[in-house]
Amino acid sequence: MKRALLLFFIILVVNRLTGQSNVAYNDLLKKYVSAEGKVNYKGFIVERDKFEAYLAHLSKYPPTSNWNRQERMAFWINAYNAFTIKLIIDHYPVESITDLHPLFYIPGFNSVWHEEFFKIGDQDFSLHRIEHEILRPEFKDARIHFAINCASFSCPILRNEAYEANKLDAQLEDQARMFINDSRRNLIRPERPQISEIFSWFKSDFENRGGVIPFINTYSKIKINQGARLSYLSYDWSLNH
C-alpha cells in the first residue's frame, strides 16, 4: 500500500512539473508564433533564459514507463519542435535550416537533423532520432507529420500552443485538417492534385489509413478521385519567419 501511494505521488509530481513547464512554453508560443505559423525567432532570443529553462526541463524529465501513450507522444512532439527552435536561434540569422547542413553533407547520413546537439535524460539526441526512432515507429500515427515542424515554409505550421495529452487527438486532427486544406502547401483537386512531398517521403506511414488519397480525403474539403494521378509540389525550405 505504501509503495502504491508513493508511486501515485511521484506520478502526480512529474505530471505537475510537466504542466508547469508547458505553461511557460505556451506563453512563448502564443507571443512569438502567429496563427499562420510565422515564427518570431528574435522574440525567442529575447526570452532565451525562459526558453532554455523549458528545454532544460525536457532534458531532465524524459518520459517514464508510467506515462501513457498520449503523454509520451505529446512530450516527443514538443521536444522536436522546441529543439528545432533552439537550433535556429543558436545560428540566427539564417535563411534556411538546410544552411546548417555540415560542409560535407551526405543526404540521409549526416544532415542537420542527424546532429546530436541536445540531451534527453542522460542520452545524446538528434531531431532525426526523435522522428525516426521514436515518433514514427512507436506511435505509428501519420498525423505526427503535421505536428512536428522543420522551421521551413513548406512544413506544416508550428502550432502556437504546446501539445497536451488531454487534448492531443483534437490537436492532431486540427493540424492534419489545416495542412491538407492549406492551398500554399497542397493543391487539392479531384484529378491531378499537387500535394506536399511529405506524402511521398512518408507514403508507407499512411497505409494504415488506407493510403495517401483516402487519408487526404478524410480531411480535405475537396475530394480526390481514387484513381487520380498524384504529383508533388517542390518543397520550400526557406525559414518560416
Side-chain angles (χ1 to χ4, degrees):
M1 182 64 179
K2 289 183 179 179
R3 288 186 61 187
L5 287 172
L6 178 61
L7 179 60
F8 178 70
F9 176 77
I10 291 171
I11 293 171
L12 283 178
V13 170
V14 170
N15 286 343
R16 185 179 177 188
L17 284 169
T18 302
Q20 288 175 336
S21 180
N22 279 345
V23 168
Y25 184 44
N26 264 319
D27 180 56
L28 293 170
L29 291 172
K30 290 185 186 302
K31 287 172 69 174
Y32 300 122
V33 181
S34 73
E36 295 76 32
K38 291 186 177 182
V39 182
N40 178 358
Y41 290 103
K42 291 181 180 179
F44 280 93
I45 292 171
V46 168
E47 297 202 55
R48 183 187 286 271
D49 288 349
K50 183 176 182 178
F51 182 55
E52 292 282 357
Y54 172 72
L55 298 178
H57 180 88
L58 291 177
S59 295
K60 188 174 182 180
Y61 297 103
T64 70
S65 59
N66 298 315
W67 290 33
N68 64 34
R69 174 185 171 86
Q70 288 76 16
E71 289 167 340
R72 297 194 312 275
M73 194 188 307
F75 175 93
W76 290 114
I77 293 172
N78 288 331
Y80 186 100
N81 290 339
F83 280 105
T84 297
I85 295 171
K86 175 178 171 55
L87 184 66
I88 298 301
I89 67 174
D90 282 352
H91 296 87
Y92 198 83
V94 62
E95 293 302 315
S96 169
I97 192 172
T98 59
D99 293 342
L100 306 181
H101 285 326
L103 182 61
F104 299 104
Y105 165 50
I106 303 173
F109 289 94
N110 67 335
S111 71
V112 61
W113 290 282
H114 289 80
E115 180 184 352
E116 294 181 336
F117 67 95
F118 59 97
K119 285 184 177 291
I120 301 291
D122 59 356
Q123 298 184 37
D124 293 322
F125 262 82
S126 65
L127 298 173
H128 180 277
R129 182 176 176 186
I130 291 179
E131 181 177 6
H132 300 289
E133 296 182 26
I134 297 175
L135 283 172
R136 292 180 63 211
E138 180 176 343
F139 300 105
K140 295 181 171 60
D141 188 331
R143 297 175 301 173
I144 286 168
H145 294 298
F146 313 116
I148 58 176
N149 178 266
C150 64
S152 304
F153 177 82
S154 286
C155 290
I157 67 171
L158 178 63
R159 195 173 184 88
N160 61 357
E161 66 175 0
Y163 289 88
E164 304 282 359
N166 62 355
K167 56 181 180 179
L168 181 62
D169 189 66
Q171 290 176 314
L172 293 177
E173 287 287 285
D174 189 46
Q175 286 293 116
R177 188 174 296 106
M178 281 196 298
F179 180 73
I180 287 169
N181 289 288
D182 185 345
S183 60
R184 297 168 299 175
R185 295 166 174 88
N186 295 280
L187 298 175
I188 307 296
R189 298 184 286 257
E191 294 291 344
R192 297 184 179 276
Q194 295 177 282
I195 58 177
S196 169
E197 286 188 291
I198 288 173
F199 293 107
S200 174
W201 297 332
F202 303 108
K203 183 179 179 180
S204 62
D205 290 4
F206 298 93
E207 293 303 319
N208 64 359
R209 293 281 294 270
V212 169
I213 291 177
F215 183 92
I216 290 175
N217 284 344
T218 300
Y219 301 98
S220 180
K221 296 175 183 177
I222 300 170
K223 306 305 178 186
I224 302 173
N225 293 338
Q226 186 55 44
R229 179 182 175 183
L230 302 176
S231 61
Y232 301 94
L233 297 169
S234 295
Y235 215 77
D236 183 350
W237 290 102
S238 59
L239 198 66
N240 58 341
H241 61 167

